[in-house]
Amino acid sequence: MKADHRAVLLRRKRFSTGLFSVTFEAPDLAQAVAPGQFAMLEVPGQIRPYLRRAYSIADVALSRGEVEFLVKTIGPGTRALEDLSEGAVVRLLGPLGNGFSWTDLESGREVAIVAGGIGAAPFPFLIRALGEAKLRVDLFLGGRRASDLSFRDRLEGAADSRLILATEDGSLGERGFVTEVFRAAARKRSAPYARLFACGPMAMFSALAPIVAELGIRAEFSTEADMGCGFGVCLGCVIPAKDKPFLVSCVEGPILPPERIAWEKLRPHP
């Protein structure tokens, strides 16, 4: 059940300029959250941003009551997090939204994860859960350049997982879009992945949706819609739907099957 949690910043890890993680002491939230869920974070005393900001929960350490977020500095909200001192107090409203599903899969099955840049944020937690379920994981991580993937060591080392890197400029891993690198690898397989989990920008999802349909893979996308409240009041995170006018991402998602989204109605970002 969601609640407003007082959380204390324990540590920050910087991966490269503007890419970092923050770990908070929030034992009740750590106990309640599932992989794929998110929290609305408020840094008290900040004039901007006026509203809380949504962050995927990257990982938890249940025994220590810790909750971790992976963050890319973009605007005043993320900059306020980057400037926080250890011991500072924030408010975390959560857990919110739904989570990924994998418990119906038999141990030994192989699943894929496709992440675009900081879209990898929800996956350390998920990869650990998949490992505990004895599922094998191929993680496809893409970015524009090598510096976009500087946090990759946070995703390495999980049991039965393989990391495949792609950069658009070819500076790290395979050259090209991560969606195309995934498509090429998936086509070479004798059997399709049992499931695909993805997170990244909507442009990546638009490219990935027809690929998973072509390959016959059941997929779950962690949608990155703009959220003002996190619980379905402001309607800032609506996504055009196939079966009705729109989906409210924060309460019906953020984890959504791609076949429910009307991709042709999405407005391209400027």
Side-chain angles (χ1 to χ4, degrees), residues 140-222:
F140 296 82
L141 177 62
R144 291 176 176 166
R145 58 191 68 86
S147 59
D148 294 336
L149 309 183
S150 59
F151 53 84
R152 62 189 180 276
D153 64 332
R154 187 63 188 81
L155 301 162
E156 292 175 325
D160 290 320
S161 66
R162 182 169 67 111
L163 182 60
I164 302 99
L165 303 176
T167 49
E168 294 175 28
D169 66 359
S171 56
L172 184 65
E174 299 188 43
R175 179 187 292 273
F177 294 115
V178 69
T179 49
E180 292 304 318
V181 171
F182 164 75
R183 186 209 295 262
R187 281 177 168 173
K188 293 176 183 177
R189 294 175 53 85
S190 58
Y193 288 106
R195 192 150 305 158
L196 177 138
F197 308 98
C199 187
M202 280 295 183
M204 186 193 88
F205 287 150
S206 294
L208 187 59
I211 294 173
V212 295
E214 167 202 329
L215 297 171
I217 302 172
R218 177 178 164 185
E220 297 182 352
F221 290 179
S222 178

Side-chain angles (χ1 to χ4, degrees), residues 30-73:
Q31 181 73 37
V33 72
Q37 290 185 296
F38 68 97
M40 300 295 293
L41 187 151
E42 176 189 17
V43 179
Q46 294 287 319
I47 298 175
R48 295 184 64 203
Y50 180 70
L51 299 174
R52 299 190 190 209
R53 288 292 179 262
Y55 294 94
S56 295
I57 294 169
D59 208 353
V60 301
L62 196 55
S63 62
R64 300 191 299 273
E66 296 177 1
V67 177
E68 180 188 12
F69 300 90
L70 290 176
V71 184
K72 179 179 181 179
T73 304

Side-chain angles (χ1 to χ4, degrees), residues 202 205-206 209 220-224 238-247 249 254-266:
M202 280 295 183
F205 287 150
S206 294
E220 297 182 352
F221 290 179
S222 178
T223 53
E224 290 189 341
V238 296
I239 297 172
K242 291 280 191 184
D243 55 345
K244 57 181 181 176
F246 56 79
L247 297 160
S249 177
I255 314 303
L256 294 168
E259 60 269 19
R260 291 197 65 195
I261 298 173
W263 299 103
E264 71 280 1
K265 296 181 181 177
L266 281 173

Side-chain angles (χ1 to χ4, degrees), residues 39 54 84 94 118 126 197 205 248 256:
L84 273 185
I118 199 62
L126 177 64
F197 308 98
F205 287 150
V248 183
L256 294 168

